[in-house]
Amino acid sequence: MILELKSIDKSFGKKQVLKGVSFTAEGGKAFGLLGRNGAGKTTSIRILMNVFPADSGEVLIDGKPIDYGKIGIGYLPEERGLYPKKLIIDQLVYFAELKGMNGKDAVRSVDYWLGRLGMSEYRNKRLDTLSKGNQQKIQLITALAHDPRIVILDEPFSGLDPVNAMLLKDVVKEQISMGKIVLFSSHQMSYIEEFCDSIAIINAGRVALSGDLHDIKRNYVRDKLVVFSAMPEQIKADLGEACTWREDGSLLIHLAAPDEKQSMMKRLVQSYDIDEIKVFEPSLNDIFVEYAGAQV
């Protein structure tokens, strides 16, 4: 299954929010939709979910206009949208039925997910009696109980402690392994980098960068080396301005040209006590700052 947003334009009044936005996400893989606040991520997601139409462009599944009656979408919003005074079981079943499930199947699915997420004891409690992290897990069930083919997770790890974050990671990996399209929108780059095969960075309503994350990193000029050594001060003194410190205590060596990698590696290994040496690749955070740092 391949999802495409193709040349999407959207304006609200005189303000054009999306300007020819296009990206592709594949089933069985996670996709990261990134951008600063106000860049157009939420508008893109709402058009994908058919909350409102695009002014022009298409949302396609396998090359054909998406049929929302057949392709279920599960959405975990950044801001919680459940009813704090209502019983958890009642509203979870209600939302599952809104997504097309019959009552019996809805109860069965909700009970499965309550158990899967360690929330069965809260089945008949009000939502406002739960902690922020547990409310996030209940909200997640609304996105998954109806077994959607497309799962959209907006800041999914917000409010979760490390144990519950690990549980959510396992659930996300399961959804991906089932061949679903999992779309992340988050400012927590470490999670995007961990899960996502491909990304799109939106800047001021346009896609500034998109594609396979590994390929994006590989296409950066490979003219820097990262060095871990027992003698960093001596290396720094010998190489001068070509060598800078990194936060983790390693050294970043700037080469005059990419083809100097091998000769510099050989020189370092022969001259110093080297623990590790590798070509520097930018982190997703570095890439995000470069492409989304300035609104254009």
Side-chain angles (χ1 to χ4, degrees):
M1 185 170 63
I2 298 176
L3 167 70
E4 294 179 81
L5 265 68
K6 192 172 182 180
S7 303
I8 299 294
D9 292 324
K10 183 65 180 179
S11 296
F12 295 101
K14 296 182 178 180
K15 181 175 177 59
Q16 187 173 7
V17 178
L18 298 181
K19 307 165 187 176
V21 167
S22 299
F23 60 79
T24 301
E26 297 182 35
K29 296 182 179 180
F31 181 89
L33 184 61
L34 310 176
R36 295 173 62 186
N37 294 331
K41 302 188 304 299
T42 300
T43 300
S44 298
I45 289 171
R46 288 174 176 169
I47 289 172
L48 165 58
M49 295 174 59
N50 202 31
V51 174
F52 46 66
D55 296 335
S56 61
E58 298 177 287
V59 180
L60 306 174
I61 291 289
D62 295 332
K64 299 178 181 179
I66 186 170
D67 184 341
Y68 289 99
K70 295 180 179 179
I71 301 295
I73 297 178
Y75 177 49
L76 174 68
E78 179 179 4
E79 299 296 331
R80 289 163 185 81
L82 300 181
Y83 301 104
K85 304 298 183 182
K86 297 293 185 180
L87 296 184
I88 287 168
I89 183 61
D90 290 345
Q91 57 182 312
L92 287 179
V93 169
Y94 169 70
F95 281 113
E97 290 175 333
L98 284 181
K99 299 294 179 62
M101 300 189 81
N102 64 51
K104 186 177 180 179
D105 288 341
V107 172
R108 183 184 299 114
S109 180
V110 166
D111 279 333
Y112 165 79
W113 280 109
L114 286 170
R116 178 71 178 82
L117 298 177
M119 299 296 291
S120 294
E121 65 183 287
Y122 304 108
R123 184 182 192 274
N124 296 305
K125 295 185 180 297
R126 294 188 342 187
L127 186 72
D128 61 4
T129 65
L130 273 59
S131 67
K132 180 180 179 181
N134 282 338
Q135 289 186 32
Q136 179 79 337
K137 291 198 288 184
I138 295 300
Q139 185 87 56
L140 176 63
I141 294 174
T142 68
L144 300 178
H146 60 292
D147 193 25
R149 298 290 303 281
I150 300 171
V151 179
I152 301 171
L153 305 173
D154 193 350
E155 298 294 353
F157 296 95
S158 175
L160 297 182
D161 60 49
V163 173
N164 281 322
M166 185 64 69
L167 178 60
L168 178 54
K169 287 182 183 182
D170 290 341
V171 169
V172 171
K173 289 174 183 176
E174 288 175 3
Q175 297 295 301
I176 295 170
S177 70
M178 294 167 65
K180 298 182 179 184
I181 293 172
V182 178
L183 191 152
F184 278 90
S185 178
S186 178
H187 291 117
Q188 295 177 283
M189 297 298 153
S190 61
Y191 290 122
I192 298 293
E193 203 152 14
E194 179 177 353
F195 284 105
C196 295
D197 299 280
S198 301
I199 62 167
I201 297 176
I202 298 180
N203 188 343
R206 302 182 188 275
V207 174
L209 178 71
S210 66
D212 181 273
L213 182 55
H214 178 73
D215 290 343
I216 288 171
K217 289 185 176 185
R218 290 284 301 178
N219 287 335
Y220 270 72
V221 178
R222 301 171 70 78
D223 60 352
K224 301 179 185 67
L225 299 176
V226 177
V227 177
F228 291 86
S229 172
M231 341 171 33
E233 291 83 2
Q234 183 176 342
I235 298 173
K236 178 72 173 68
D238 292 346
L239 296 184
E241 293 182 357
C243 185
T244 57
W245 292 103
R246 302 179 77 220
E247 291 183 0
D248 60 4
S250 64
L251 297 170
L252 184 65
I253 297 176
H254 302 256
L255 306 174
D259 59 8
E260 292 186 359
K261 291 194 300 288
Q262 298 301 325
S263 60
M264 177 59 77
M265 287 181 177
K266 183 176 180 180
R267 172 186 169 189
L268 290 167
V269 171
Q270 291 177 341
S271 303
Y272 308 99
D273 182 1
I274 301 296
D275 296 322
E276 181 182 351
I277 185 169
K278 60 184 179 181
V279 176
F280 170 79
E281 282 191 348
S283 67
L284 180 54
N285 190 71
D286 297 327
I287 296 168
F288 180 84
V289 169
E290 177 178 348
Y291 283 90
Q295 297 286 344
V296 295

